[in-house]
Amino acid sequence: MITIAVSKGYLFQESLNLFKKIGILFDDDLETSRKLFSTDRSKTFRLLMIRPWDVPTYVENGSADLGIVGHDVLQEQQSGLTRLLDLKFGACKLVLAGLHKTQPDALSHNTVIATKYPTCTERYFQGKGIKVNILKLYGAIELAPLAGLSDIICDLTATGKSLKENNLYIIDTLFQSTATLVSNPTSLKIHYNTLTTLCKQLIQA
């Protein structure tokens, strides 16, 4: 049986829809069920429903053969997984944003940045040769500059609606993100034929 770890939240329903297109069918109530795993009707695939940030850990440590997770999470964690496919859904981007319209070149040393993505943020500013102060937060990132906690933020946005509602302007985009299919390298060797067939089906879906 092939075990697939899938992010709860905004990627979950799209993942189920994609599986359905290629004939992998799970229980219809997975969106509302409290179950943390489910087996498909053919008993070939087992689905683990976990937090997005935990998907790489499950796959990297062999508890799951495959994972579906945002490119943003992979960039932040820098895990040693094999990236198989860009699944083309869940589009969003990691941006810098602040209360004022600012050009990226105007960013200076000692800027205070609130973010859930300290590694990506640090890498961006290192590339520009700017030393900044990064505050790791776990939610309500847009509040930080409004409350005077930070100068700017680095956060994920899909439509930009939340930024606009909080009077924040995009300063720069670090990268685009979509859902990515990843594999444990050992699992890919063991289940090579099954996983490559699955990838071909997903590409054609």
Side-chain angles (χ1 to χ4, degrees), residues 98-99 112 114 135 137 139-153 166-168:
L99 290 169
V112 180
L135 301 177
L137 296 181
I141 306 299
E142 297 94 340
L143 180 62
L146 299 173
L149 179 64
S150 71
D151 299 311
I152 61 175
I153 65 171
N166 289 286
N167 299 313
L168 296 172

Side-chain angles (χ1 to χ4, degrees), residues 90-107:
C92 52
K93 57 186 178 180
L94 187 67
V95 302
L96 296 176
L99 290 169
H100 308 287
K101 293 181 179 180
T102 305
Q103 294 299 317
D105 293 343
L107 296 169

Side-chain angles (χ1 to χ4, degrees), residues 57 95 128 156 179 189:
T57 302
V95 302
K128 291 183 172 294
L156 210 61
K189 292 179 182 178

